[in-house]
Amino acid sequence: MRRRAGMPKFKKKHLAAPTLNYTRRGFRLKEGRLHLAGGIAVTVVWSRDLPAEPSSVRIHRDPVGHLYPSFVVPARVEELPATGRAIGIDWGVKDIAATTTSDAHDLPHPQYGRAAAAKLARYQKMMARRRPPKGRPASTGYRKAARQAAKAHRKVARQRADAARKWAKKVVRDHDVLAVEDFTPKFLARSTMARKAADGAIGATKNALIEMARKHGRIVHLVNPAHTTMDCAGCGARTKHALPLSERTYTCTACGVSCPRDKNSARVMLLRAGLDPVGVEGVRPDGPPARQAA
Ligand SMILES: [Zn+2]
């Protein structure tokens, strides 16, 4: 069968990834309904008003089976008032997701995920019990459990994304310049599920922060994290050995300064971004720092 140029191709249900793209000519919005090429019309539940005319739309189907259209609109910077303040951000691993040079902006790991996590584990066990033998179709019970597991998973992810966005908004509102540890997941290949989950949460939080800063025209410096736990934010000296993770206090052998390990790392972020961590907490030194693409 020939298809018209520019129209999305429908693939076999079992082989297709659950996303479809429609460019300008492939969709139309009319009275809150989304009309797609091929005579499909769906009613959209809007999460917020579109800020501008969309140039394309991507339809994504989640594991629960719901359809999510994402509209692409031209980016627009929403300026926030200048604050004259800068902040250094270090990603933690243990009980704090992000430590900053300002105590008021630390982000603790969320606790509320526990109930949902227990639920998720229950449905995953249920799936394991009902798993069909190789080559046999899945039973109704298995599919039901899989759907419940996907739902629980989605709930955890949503709560986390919501908390990350709220925190990012606060950080971005209160600071003009952000020096952010350029975190890359370290444990994905070889570690416990808890570590992998923490890695994923930090990656998502970092992305939310960068996106928020870009939206509001703030400056982001992504800082190479190498040796940040070994350097002294006070005098710049580097210790010979990395601190073991159990050691929560950084003590400098060169200048004798002693401070919480994460706070020291967050200050090193500021220092490496060319900002001044000493003196008044978080205040930007004279002269604008070089702008760096995030
Ligand atoms: Zn020192």
Side-chain angles (χ1 to χ4, degrees):
M1 188 184 82
R2 286 189 56 145
R3 65 191 178 88
R4 281 163 60 200
M7 293 298 154
K9 176 168 58 177
F10 284 88
K11 297 173 194 161
K12 267 190 187 154
K13 191 182 165 194
H14 301 288
L15 302 176
T19 60
L20 279 174
N21 285 306
Y22 295 86
T23 51
R24 188 55 274 194
R25 288 172 60 238
F27 75 98
R28 190 161 50 97
L29 281 165
K30 204 178 155 193
E31 287 154 13
R33 303 248 306 160
L34 173 62
H35 298 262
L36 299 167
I40 306 155
V42 283
T43 302
V44 182
V45 180
W46 297 97
S47 56
R48 59 195 156 118
D49 290 336
L50 287 176
E53 193 69 18
S55 59
S56 69
V57 62
R58 165 175 291 199
I59 315 273
H60 167 76
R61 195 183 70 214
D62 75 358
V64 179
H66 295 164
L67 298 172
Y68 289 85
S70 314
F71 294 92
V72 177
V73 290
R76 196 185 50 177
V77 171
E78 295 168 30
E79 295 275 359
L80 283 171
T83 63
R85 297 176 74 83
I87 191 170
I89 296 157
D90 176 63
W91 305 112
V93 280
K94 228 179 145 212
D95 34 44
I96 298 242
T99 314
T100 65
T101 45
S102 149
D103 284 330
H105 293 85
D106 287 352
L107 173 71
H109 272 306
Q111 300 300 308
Y112 46 67
R114 277 186 195 153
K119 220 179 204 177
L120 178 57
R122 200 169 74 226
Y123 290 124
Q124 281 171 340
K125 264 181 221 151
M126 211 182 270
M127 279 171 72
R129 275 200 310 272
R130 298 172 179 179
R131 198 175 299 282
K134 230 181 155 80
R136 301 292 306 277
S139 66
T140 308
Y142 176 83
R143 282 205 302 272
K144 257 185 194 162
R147 197 181 144 89
Q148 294 291 350
K151 243 182 188 170
H153 193 265
R154 187 179 67 183
K155 183 166 183 174
V156 173
R158 273 193 185 156
Q159 285 176 329
R160 207 162 61 193
D162 192 49
R165 255 197 312 274
K166 281 190 183 128
W167 171 77
K169 186 66 190 265
K170 182 173 151 77
V171 169
V172 164
R173 192 183 52 224
D174 297 348
H175 303 88
D176 302 335
V177 184
L178 284 65
V180 184
E181 179 191 352
D182 194 6
F183 174 88
T184 41
K186 302 169 192 71
F187 307 106
L188 283 178
R190 46 180 176 97
S191 196
T192 62
M193 284 308 288
R195 254 306 167 52
K196 284 177 191 172
D199 259 16
I202 289 170
T205 308
K206 181 187 144 197
N207 291 343
L209 183 64
I210 290 171
E211 194 184 301
M212 190 66 77
R214 190 181 284 152
K215 179 179 170 188
H216 295 293
R218 300 304 207 197
I219 297 164
V220 175
H221 294 273
L222 288 176
V223 180
N224 185 340
H227 307 302
T228 45
T229 55
M230 293 162 76
D231 286 8
C232 173
C235 70
R238 180 167 296 171
T239 55
K240 286 204 174 63
H241 306 287
L243 288 180
L245 212 54
S246 55
E247 185 62 72
R248 304 315 294 169
T249 306
Y250 180 94
T251 307
C252 180
T253 47
C255 71
V257 100
S258 184
C259 72
R261 168 210 178 94
D262 294 339
K263 290 282 164 198
N264 181 68
S265 299
R267 288 197 192 107
V268 171
M269 296 299 154
L270 270 186
L271 206 63
R272 289 204 185 161
L275 305 161
D276 188 6
V278 274
V280 192
E281 189 74 83
V283 170
R284 178 164 37 147
D286 293 337
R291 203 181 181 97
Q292 191 179 325

